[in-house]
Amino acid sequence: MQILLAAIVVLPLLGAVAALLPAPPGLKGKSPDQAVLRHGVTVTGAVLALSVALAAGFDHDDPARMQATTDISWIPALGIRIHLGVDGVSLPLLVLTALLTFLSALYSYVKMPDGPSPKAFVALILVLESGTLASFAVLDLMLFFLAFEMVLIPMYFLIARWGGDGRERAAWRFILYTLLGSVVMLLGLLLIGIKGGTFDMVALATDNGSGLSHTTQLVAVLAIGVGLAVKAPMWPLHSWLPDAHTAAPTVGSVLLAGVLLKMGTYGFVRILLPITPDGVHTFAPYLAAFAVVGIIYGSLVCLALARSSAGGDLKRLIAYSSVGHMGFVLLGIATLTPTGVNGALFANIAHGLITGLLFFLVGAVKDRYGTSDLDRLSGASGAALYGKAPRLGGLLAFGAVASLGLPGLAGFWGEMLAMFGAFEPAEGLSRPAYLTFMAIAGFGTLLTAAYMLIVVRRVCMGGDGESGGHTGGHGGSAPAPTSLPDVQTYEFAAWTPLVVLTVLAGLWPAALLGLTDPAVQQLLRGGN
């Protein structure tokens, strides 16, 4: 198990180096480009297989215990160790990362985004995967920071080199926001390590903040929280996200929404809750307030974008929906209760599956139709997917109803548990305030249903989204095709696992909650 976890983290890095080397003569296939894309599928597939093997070998009877641990000294002078391990909190995120990266590589094997050589593209995807997997596997604060930063450069280049319109501006906003947040976070991590006498997360969690003064905890939570909130993304530190999603290639958007955003919320649960409990307790109501503002803000922006003649972009709308959905994750964390934190972790996984699927689908619509502009996709001259590509339209409708939290699908349980946690927050938190937050979040679910159903009506049925009539071409755009290619074999292969897991998680939530709950209970007790 130790070797398995280390291999999961290191193999993508080795694969990235190999991707930049010339392909052996017998493996070139039709062209060097095809060979390197096949290499990406092979490496990510191997990482996924190792992740599934790790999950199968995991002791499910004791998910609160750190398993597959490696702990060796790296920089003795600073007390920094190579400490790896997984528990019920990190294991689902590891498997989700491996799955989404494999599906992205599989999709790109056939539908490579326009841009420079595939060699650099595959290498960047693999470096991104390694950094993300390391973020969920390391148990040393400095290693966490290094892994947290490791993903920024690959995503910057994926947006800047393979993105669409406005890609350079979007890439710069992404890197500047996240780097500035990371600088502040590093100061907080150093403060904890110096005052606590160690950078080891397990040792610090076991101390449960006893070695840190109240003032130290407050400063650390504020500094680390800002860095994590940028990545989460929490309102009002979210403004880099819509541009990044809109400009990114399809697989870039899938990985950004499905994997990278989870690193921020994971940091709240793994670092702040057990290591700085007093500081988190002080800031929890403010975190909850920002979370519910994000829920309402994201939903209102999506409603505005979905409106007829608003010039809304479907990719941008899905990006803003992430602000709202991640607001539920932050609200669950801010309750400081097992129910709320379990709901946050469940919502994390559900968001990765559902929003990853939605970005795949939107990318497919854009490839077929040449645009993701909602006004051009709606009306009599628009996509009308139910008639022109019924399987694609059905999948888009499925993704929309899963995103709005339909009972029986994965999106329902995380949001419900987050609101249940707000109904009875941790001792010492104002229940009237949290009841207010719960009511606002509940209203946000209604707004989510409204804009998602409008999108389905306009894109799948061809309605204008307001009056129900049909409109002609928009702005003199070229006539729409009478039929569109429906779901292709490679798309079916890339999307089916996300659909199946969304249904399974919705029908059998205990499979995931049984993993996370014992680990969450232990984290909230300070690792004891």
Side-chain angles (χ1 to χ4, degrees), residues 456-474:
V456 170
R457 182 182 185 184
R458 298 188 70 193
V459 178
C460 297
M461 302 179 184
D464 67 5
E466 289 187 350
S467 64
H470 295 283
T471 59
H474 290 274

mmCIF file of all heavy atoms in Angstrom, residues 456-474:
data_model
loop_
_atom_site.group_PDB
_atom_site.id
_atom_site.type_symbol
_atom_site.label_atom_id
_atom_site.label_comp_id
_atom_site.label_asym_id
_atom_site.label_seq_id
_atom_site.Cartn_x
_atom_site.Cartn_y
_atom_site.Cartn_z
ATOM 1 N N VAL A 456 -32.057 24.176 -20.273
ATOM 2 C CA VAL A 456 -32.554 22.980 -20.964
ATOM 3 C C VAL A 456 -33.610 23.358 -21.994
ATOM 4 O O VAL A 456 -33.607 22.871 -23.134
ATOM 5 C CB VAL A 456 -33.127 21.974 -19.943
ATOM 6 C CG1 VAL A 456 -33.875 20.850 -20.647
ATOM 7 C CG2 VAL A 456 -32.013 21.406 -19.083
ATOM 8 N N ARG A 457 -34.492 24.266 -21.615
ATOM 9 C CA ARG A 457 -35.554 24.667 -22.546
ATOM 10 C C ARG A 457 -34.971 25.330 -23.781
ATOM 11 O O ARG A 457 -35.373 25.029 -24.911
ATOM 12 C CB ARG A 457 -36.509 25.618 -21.844
ATOM 13 C CG ARG A 457 -37.673 26.056 -22.726
ATOM 14 C CD ARG A 457 -38.561 27.032 -21.999
ATOM 15 N NE ARG A 457 -39.728 27.350 -22.815
ATOM 16 C CZ ARG A 457 -40.642 28.238 -22.470
ATOM 17 N NH1 ARG A 457 -40.516 28.885 -21.332
ATOM 18 N NH2 ARG A 457 -41.663 28.470 -23.248
ATOM 19 N N ARG A 458 -34.017 26.210 -23.577
ATOM 20 C CA ARG A 458 -33.490 26.974 -24.704
ATOM 21 C C ARG A 458 -32.590 26.129 -25.600
ATOM 22 O O ARG A 458 -32.679 26.196 -26.824
ATOM 23 C CB ARG A 458 -32.717 28.192 -24.201
ATOM 24 C CG ARG A 458 -33.560 29.179 -23.407
ATOM 25 C CD ARG A 458 -32.781 30.452 -23.106
ATOM 26 N NE ARG A 458 -32.558 31.230 -24.331
ATOM 27 C CZ ARG A 458 -31.720 32.241 -24.419
ATOM 28 N NH1 ARG A 458 -30.989 32.581 -23.369
ATOM 29 N NH2 ARG A 458 -31.579 32.899 -25.544
ATOM 30 N N VAL A 459 -31.696 25.344 -25.009
ATOM 31 C CA VAL A 459 -30.705 24.620 -25.812
ATOM 32 C C VAL A 459 -31.255 23.292 -26.323
ATOM 33 O O VAL A 459 -31.009 22.919 -27.475
ATOM 34 C CB VAL A 459 -29.422 24.379 -24.989
ATOM 35 C CG1 VAL A 459 -28.401 23.579 -25.788
ATOM 36 C CG2 VAL A 459 -28.821 25.706 -24.544
ATOM 37 N N CYS A 460 -32.010 22.589 -25.493
ATOM 38 C CA CYS A 460 -32.497 21.264 -25.897
ATOM 39 C C CYS A 460 -33.796 21.323 -26.689
ATOM 40 O O CYS A 460 -34.009 20.538 -27.605
ATOM 41 C CB CYS A 460 -32.679 20.383 -24.668
ATOM 42 S SG CYS A 460 -31.140 20.047 -23.785
ATOM 43 N N MET A 461 -34.691 22.263 -26.325
ATOM 44 C CA MET A 461 -35.989 22.346 -26.983
ATOM 45 C C MET A 461 -36.052 23.425 -28.055
ATOM 46 O O MET A 461 -36.945 23.401 -28.903
ATOM 47 C CB MET A 461 -37.088 22.613 -25.942
ATOM 48 C CG MET A 461 -37.179 21.571 -24.850
ATOM 49 S SD MET A 461 -38.483 21.986 -23.662
ATOM 50 C CE MET A 461 -38.256 20.688 -22.466
ATOM 51 N N GLY A 462 -35.137 24.398 -27.971
ATOM 52 C CA GLY A 462 -35.175 25.480 -28.952
ATOM 53 C C GLY A 462 -36.061 26.631 -28.553
ATOM 54 O O GLY A 462 -36.291 27.541 -29.347
ATOM 55 N N GLY A 463 -36.579 26.629 -27.295
ATOM 56 C CA GLY A 463 -37.392 27.752 -26.836
ATOM 57 C C GLY A 463 -36.526 28.953 -26.515
ATOM 58 O O GLY A 463 -35.329 28.830 -26.278
ATOM 59 N N ASP A 464 -37.127 30.157 -26.477
ATOM 60 C CA ASP A 464 -36.333 31.363 -26.219
ATOM 61 C C ASP A 464 -36.100 31.591 -24.742
ATOM 62 O O ASP A 464 -35.400 32.512 -24.352
ATOM 63 C CB ASP A 464 -36.977 32.606 -26.858
ATOM 64 C CG ASP A 464 -38.310 32.985 -26.211
ATOM 65 O OD1 ASP A 464 -38.696 32.358 -25.205
ATOM 66 O OD2 ASP A 464 -38.975 33.906 -26.726
ATOM 67 N N GLY A 465 -36.696 30.751 -23.875
ATOM 68 C CA GLY A 465 -36.405 30.832 -22.441
ATOM 69 C C GLY A 465 -37.266 31.818 -21.701
ATOM 70 O O GLY A 465 -37.262 31.867 -20.491
ATOM 71 N N GLU A 466 -38.049 32.667 -22.400
ATOM 72 C CA GLU A 466 -38.897 33.627 -21.675
ATOM 73 C C GLU A 466 -40.350 33.498 -22.122
ATOM 74 O O GLU A 466 -41.224 33.137 -21.370
ATOM 75 C CB GLU A 466 -38.388 35.048 -21.893
ATOM 76 C CG GLU A 466 -37.058 35.295 -21.163
ATOM 77 C CD GLU A 466 -36.637 36.739 -21.231
ATOM 78 O OE1 GLU A 466 -37.227 37.521 -21.973
ATOM 79 O OE2 GLU A 466 -35.676 37.097 -20.516
ATOM 80 N N SER A 467 -40.607 33.779 -23.379
ATOM 81 C CA SER A 467 -41.978 33.755 -23.842
ATOM 82 C C SER A 467 -42.394 32.395 -24.340
ATOM 83 O O SER A 467 -43.562 32.132 -24.556
ATOM 84 C CB SER A 467 -42.152 34.780 -24.980
ATOM 85 O OG SER A 467 -41.350 34.412 -26.098
ATOM 86 N N GLY A 468 -41.404 31.497 -24.551
ATOM 87 C CA GLY A 468 -41.710 30.165 -25.021
ATOM 88 C C GLY A 468 -41.811 30.093 -26.525
ATOM 89 O O GLY A 468 -41.996 29.032 -27.091
ATOM 90 N N GLY A 469 -41.694 31.223 -27.229
ATOM 91 C CA GLY A 469 -41.755 31.216 -28.676
ATOM 92 C C GLY A 469 -40.437 30.819 -29.261
ATOM 93 O O GLY A 469 -39.490 30.471 -28.590
ATOM 94 N N HIS A 470 -40.351 30.888 -30.578
ATOM 95 C CA HIS A 470 -39.133 30.557 -31.277
ATOM 96 C C HIS A 470 -38.647 31.786 -32.002
ATOM 97 O O HIS A 470 -39.427 32.531 -32.578
ATOM 98 C CB HIS A 470 -39.371 29.417 -32.282
ATOM 99 C CG HIS A 470 -39.735 28.132 -31.615
ATOM 100 N ND1 HIS A 470 -38.805 27.337 -30.995
ATOM 101 C CD2 HIS A 470 -40.932 27.506 -31.450
ATOM 102 C CE1 HIS A 470 -39.389 26.264 -30.494
ATOM 103 N NE2 HIS A 470 -40.687 26.352 -30.754
ATOM 104 N N THR A 471 -37.367 31.964 -31.967
ATOM 105 C CA THR A 471 -36.798 33.138 -32.600
ATOM 106 C C THR A 471 -36.008 32.722 -33.808
ATOM 107 O O THR A 471 -35.611 31.565 -33.960
ATOM 108 C CB THR A 471 -35.854 33.859 -31.623
ATOM 109 O OG1 THR A 471 -34.829 32.968 -31.232
ATOM 110 C CG2 THR A 471 -36.609 34.365 -30.421
ATOM 111 N N GLY A 472 -35.747 33.670 -34.654
ATOM 112 C CA GLY A 472 -34.937 33.404 -35.834
ATOM 113 C C GLY A 472 -33.479 33.494 -35.492
ATOM 114 O O GLY A 472 -33.080 33.417 -34.351
ATOM 115 N N GLY A 473 -32.636 33.654 -36.517
ATOM 116 C CA GLY A 473 -31.197 33.753 -36.290
ATOM 117 C C GLY A 473 -30.876 34.972 -35.470
ATOM 118 O O GLY A 473 -31.584 35.962 -35.501
ATOM 119 N N HIS A 474 -29.775 34.932 -34.773
ATOM 120 C CA HIS A 474 -29.359 36.029 -33.908
ATOM 121 C C HIS A 474 -28.238 36.787 -34.574
ATOM 122 O O HIS A 474 -27.226 36.213 -34.943
ATOM 123 C CB HIS A 474 -28.892 35.489 -32.551
ATOM 124 C CG HIS A 474 -30.026 34.942 -31.745
ATOM 125 N ND1 HIS A 474 -30.804 35.716 -30.935
ATOM 126 C CD2 HIS A 474 -30.527 33.692 -31.660
ATOM 127 C CE1 HIS A 474 -31.725 34.974 -30.348
ATOM 128 N NE2 HIS A 474 -31.565 33.721 -30.776
#
